């Protein structure tokens, strides 16, 4: 009889413990789900998503006539007084990563409160781009110091306003330059536009185009945005297998139709 009472008591106690744990777990889950994401949280997510080594290999293998296998490399470089993250960004042909043809600084911060967006990504030229080649590949003690980075931020080029993607879409954030774009004089252009999408799998889509006074596109790929995907963690040689690309010299001539070279 005593054994039965102890058994029933233990069952009740165990049931009470389980109910308590369920209630606590539910409360924690609700708290996590209802916790609002701050403006700076969004900026941090975007900065982290932009960072790292990514390639357009898959896209180039599908459509080598219109897309190159480009290596995009981005990493943190400094932080501004207002909390904005400064990222160093470069692009190079996958065969010659040590020779970037495009170098920029990105400033990532929350959008101004008066604008209907979440994150602002601005690009700027670099005062002495040669000094920053392969910045992300170098040991940290061989890079320019953060205060030097801030001092080397040159003229503003573009600003993209990103919004959180609607539920059900494969992206996290997407956006573009304001209507009318920004001044640009390369290859006969009078202005340029940029589009940026950050996907859930850490993939980045970018689309930069230049237009003349009559609205004709004079540089930039026409078929759609470049699709940059993270490099495989395995480091497989597959990433660098031949993709029936033309010789490097021909690629460099064709690059004018797709990218703006560093001025």
């Amino acid at each position: 009889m005593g054994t039965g009472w102890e058994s029933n008591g233990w069952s009740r106690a165990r049931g009470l413990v389980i109910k308590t744990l369920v209630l606590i777990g539910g409360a924690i889950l609700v708290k996590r789900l209802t916790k609002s994401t701050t403006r700076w949280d969004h900026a941090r997510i975007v900065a982290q998503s932009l960072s790292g080594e990514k390639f357009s290999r898959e896209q180039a293998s599908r459509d080598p006539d219109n897309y190159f296998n480009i290596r995009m490399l981005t990493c943190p470089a400094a932080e501004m007084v207002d909390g904005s993250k400064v990222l160093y960004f470069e692009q190079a042909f996958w065969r010659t990563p040590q020779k970037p043809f495009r170098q920029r600084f990105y400033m990532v911060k929350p959008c101004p409160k008066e604008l209907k967006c979440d994150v602002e990504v601005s690009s700027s030229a670099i005062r002495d781009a040669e000094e920053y080649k392969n910045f992300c590949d170098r040991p940290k003690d061989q890079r320019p110091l953060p205060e030097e980075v801030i001092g080397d931020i040159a003229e503003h080029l573009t600003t993209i306003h990103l919004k959180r993607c609607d539920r059900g879409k494969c992206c996290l954030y997407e956006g573009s330059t304001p209507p009318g774009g920004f001044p640009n004089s390369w290859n006969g252009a009078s202005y340029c536009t940029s589009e940026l999408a950050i996907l859930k799998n850490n993939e980045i889509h970018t689309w930069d185009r230049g237009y003349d006074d009559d609205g004709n596109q004079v540089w930039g790929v026409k078929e759609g945005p470049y699709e940059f995907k993270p490099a495989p963690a395995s480091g497989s040689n597959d990433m660098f297998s031949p993709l029936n690309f033309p010789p490097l010299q021909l690629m460099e001539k064709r690059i004018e139709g797709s990218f703006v070279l560093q001025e």
Side-chain angles (χ1 to χ4, degrees):
M1 183 175 177
T3 303
W5 183 88
E6 289 175 359
S7 177
N8 291 336
W10 169 244
S11 295
R12 285 196 297 270
R14 184 174 60 182
L16 183 61
V17 169
I18 292 173
K19 287 181 180 179
T20 302
L21 290 175
V22 169
L23 288 173
I24 293 174
I28 293 173
L29 180 61
V30 169
K31 185 177 180 181
R32 286 182 177 177
L33 291 175
T34 56
K35 182 182 178 181
S36 60
T37 305
T38 69
R39 297 166 65 243
W40 283 103
D41 286 337
H42 291 302
R44 186 178 67 254
I45 292 169
V46 168
Q48 290 174 345
S49 298
L50 288 171
S51 298
E53 185 182 39
K54 308 175 196 292
F55 291 85
S56 58
R57 175 187 181 274
E58 289 185 21
Q59 189 178 33
S61 65
R62 293 196 312 266
D63 188 0
D65 290 334
N66 293 301
Y67 298 94
F68 304 102
N69 183 3
I70 300 296
R71 180 205 198 208
M72 184 177 90
L73 186 61
T74 310
C75 64
E79 185 171 317
M80 305 291 279
V81 175
D82 66 355
S84 302
K85 304 294 183 184
V86 180
L87 308 177
Y88 170 76
F89 158 91
E90 70 180 20
Q91 289 178 327
F93 292 116
W94 69 275
R95 284 190 175 118
T96 53
Q98 73 281 4
K99 296 180 180 180
F101 59 78
R102 196 179 198 189
Q103 297 171 260
R104 297 284 188 267
F105 282 134
Y106 283 158
M107 273 70 72
V108 183
K109 64 180 181 180
C111 274
K113 291 184 178 179
E114 64 271 16
L115 296 180
K116 294 181 179 180
C117 56
D118 295 298
V119 182
E120 179 179 288
V121 180
S122 297
S123 66
S124 295
I126 300 173
R127 202 170 303 282
D128 184 1
E130 188 68 27
E131 184 181 346
Y132 284 85
K133 280 186 176 180
N134 309 124
F135 176 91
C136 302
D137 290 321
R138 303 185 218 164
K140 291 188 176 181
D141 60 355
Q142 294 179 21
R143 302 176 181 175
L145 298 173
E147 54 267 31
E148 294 176 304
V149 168
I150 294 173
D152 286 331
I153 298 174
E155 68 272 18
H156 169 263
L157 299 173
T158 62
T159 295
I160 296 175
H161 295 129
L162 297 175
K163 291 182 180 180
R164 281 170 289 181
C165 294
D166 295 332
R167 286 189 177 183
K169 297 188 72 172
C170 62
C171 61
L172 293 174
Y173 299 87
E174 61 182 354
S176 62
T177 46
F182 288 89
N184 183 279
S185 59
W186 193 79
N187 201 38
S190 60
Y191 68 97
C192 67
T193 63
S194 295
E195 296 180 19
L196 174 65
I198 294 172
L199 278 62
K200 295 177 181 178
N201 60 359
N202 215 23
E203 183 176 336
I204 303 294
H205 290 187
T206 64
W207 199 1
D208 301 327
R209 289 167 285 178
Y211 299 88
D212 62 19
D213 290 328
D214 297 323
N216 300 310
Q217 186 176 341
V218 294
W219 61 257
V221 67
K222 296 182 178 181
E223 287 68 24
Y226 259 83
E227 302 171 0
F228 290 98
K229 298 185 179 183
S234 63
S236 169
N237 290 332
D238 228 23
M239 172 61 67
F240 303 104
S241 62
L243 296 175
N244 298 319
F245 284 154
L248 185 57
Q249 292 79 4
L250 295 179
M251 289 174 64
E252 289 173 342
K253 289 180 181 178
R254 284 175 51 207
I255 197 71
E256 295 183 1
S258 297
F259 286 90
V260 181
L261 299 177
Q262 180 71 37
E263 297 177 356

